[in-house]
Amino acid sequence: MEGFQKISQTQYLSIHDCSASDSQSHRALLQGSDAPVPKVTAVNKRLTVRQTLLPNVAIICAEAPQLGALRMSALELPLTLAGRASESSTIALDQGPAQPIPANVPFLATVRRGADIRFPAGSVILVAAPDRTPGAGAAAAGGSALSTTPDASVELLITQAQCIVGRDLPPALARACEAGLLALMSVAREYELGSTPAGDHLFRDILADIAANCRQQDYGVAQVAQRYKLNVRTLQKMFQKHGTTLREHITAARLKYAGAALLDPANTAKKVSDIAFEAGFNDIATFNRLFRRTFGRAPSAFRTEANQAAAGVARAEEADVSQTG
């Protein structure tokens, strides 16, 4: 994309810094004007970007002290794009007119070719994934779509993405995080298409309940059944229909929390057992066995490897700064 500075590229998308060198014309575009915005050939040093690029999900967090602009281009398939901006911003889908994005309100969009996001001082977080559902290309040919009143799953998606963006994740944890993000994005997409059966709306609500309450040690099948006034057999059949069980899903949610907690520098002084109990486990031997089965290594080894990787990145950054200085 000539004239713009590339930030990153994967097999399914590319992202460019399209910040205007003329802040007046940029501000006019934010306000809905058709005034042309000049291209830039140099990196916009005022734009700070953190990103995590997974095989099927890209997470981008950009911050600007004044005015920022990003262009996201779909390379193969249409993209499902979720995001949130800290200040009122605009998004133009597939060279269409700029549409407003309210501050701190999640949005969900279908992108056929590209999306231009322009935001004032503040930050924007974006989560994008190729839409690989059958017929996605044909459906997207009917037009782009933007929703600023999406399903609650989008809020959960963005919250999880904020915990991941910028981190160098071990392969096993990266796969687990990607699976969770794709599941939430699928639910959100189905909700917007209006194709989710009534029973799946209930299933989605139960998944959200698990994400919010799985860390309670007394939280289990009986508690979920009581909350939603369902008998246990009906509840189990609902999860079997989706290829899992309720107990397995609760355990997976707890393991996902524990994995993220072990990577958090704020928890360096915490014992593995303390993190296990915080995640909702009440037996450390069971936690160790399930963690090893899921992540391929013991919790202590998982934490050590992550810390060593982080230290290596820090040393490389220090060396780079000393060389440029």
Side-chain angles (χ1 to χ4, degrees):
M1 189 177 298
E2 186 178 355
F4 293 125
Q5 178 67 35
K6 182 184 290 185
I7 295 173
S8 60
Q9 180 167 335
T10 71
Q11 290 183 338
Y12 50 89
L13 61 77
S14 65
I15 303 167
H16 289 74
D17 173 10
C18 303
S19 302
S21 57
D22 180 350
S23 62
Q24 288 187 343
S25 60
H26 192 170
R27 187 174 292 106
L29 220 164
L30 280 169
Q31 295 171 350
S33 168
D34 292 330
V37 175
K39 295 181 179 180
V40 294
T41 55
V43 175
N44 176 18
K45 296 182 179 179
R46 295 173 299 176
L47 187 69
T48 302
V49 175
R50 290 180 293 131
Q51 58 186 332
T52 293
L53 304 178
L54 302 172
N56 293 287
V57 181
I59 309 171
I60 305 292
C61 182
E63 299 179 359
Q66 296 182 16
L67 295 163
L70 297 173
R71 171 166 294 176
M72 183 174 290
S73 301
L75 300 182
E76 293 181 348
L77 296 169
L79 297 172
T80 298
L81 174 64
R84 183 173 59 201
S86 63
E87 305 294 337
S88 297
S89 307
T90 66
I91 184 170
L93 299 172
D94 301 323
Q95 299 180 342
Q99 303 179 65
I101 302 173
N104 293 312
V105 173
F107 66 86
L108 186 71
T110 300
V111 181
R112 286 185 295 155
R113 296 184 301 276
D116 289 303
I117 301 100
R118 304 183 183 278
F119 55 101
S123 64
V124 62
I125 183 165
L126 304 169
V127 187
D131 187 351
R132 302 186 188 278
T133 55
S144 303
L146 172 69
S147 172
T148 52
T149 56
D151 179 61
S153 55
V154 177
E155 184 71 49
L156 289 173
L157 171 70
I158 294 171
T159 299
Q160 291 195 15
Q162 287 176 317
C163 297
I164 298 169
V165 66
R167 291 189 174 186
D168 184 15
L169 302 175
L173 183 58
R175 289 192 296 269
C177 290
E178 181 180 70
L181 294 172
L182 288 173
L184 288 168
M185 191 165 276
S186 177
V187 170
R189 190 161 48 219
E190 288 178 350
Y191 179 86
E192 292 301 318
L193 292 173
S195 61
T196 307
D200 281 352
H201 282 299
L202 177 59
F203 181 71
R204 183 191 67 239
D205 291 343
I206 293 173
L207 292 184
D209 190 89
I210 293 172
N213 298 292
C214 66
R215 293 169 57 194
Q216 300 175 21
Q217 292 191 3
D218 61 350
Y219 185 85
V221 176
Q223 287 72 23
V224 175
Q226 184 176 7
R227 283 173 188 254
Y228 290 91
K229 297 181 172 57
L230 298 170
N231 64 57
V232 171
R233 183 164 179 77
T234 299
L235 194 57
Q236 296 289 26
K237 282 184 175 180
M238 183 183 297
F239 276 79
Q240 287 170 3
K241 176 182 149 185
H242 290 83
T244 185
T245 69
L246 175 56
R247 192 180 305 278
E248 287 174 346
H249 195 86
I250 293 172
T251 299
R254 287 170 171 165
L255 287 169
K256 184 176 179 181
Y257 173 85
L262 287 167
L263 291 178
D264 191 341
N267 294 329
T268 302
K270 282 187 180 179
K271 296 179 180 177
V272 170
S273 57
D274 292 337
I275 290 175
F277 294 136
E278 285 181 4
F281 293 93
N282 55 19
D283 180 78
I284 189 63
T286 300
F287 168 72
N288 285 335
R289 176 174 54 82
L290 293 172
F291 193 97
R292 182 187 292 274
R293 188 176 70 185
T294 300
F295 294 101
R297 56 183 66 78
S300 56
F302 177 85
R303 171 189 258 176
T304 299
E305 289 178 13
N307 289 340
Q308 289 173 345
V313 170
R315 286 194 297 271
E317 289 177 346
E318 290 176 1
D320 184 60
V321 170
S322 63
Q323 288 176 2
T324 56

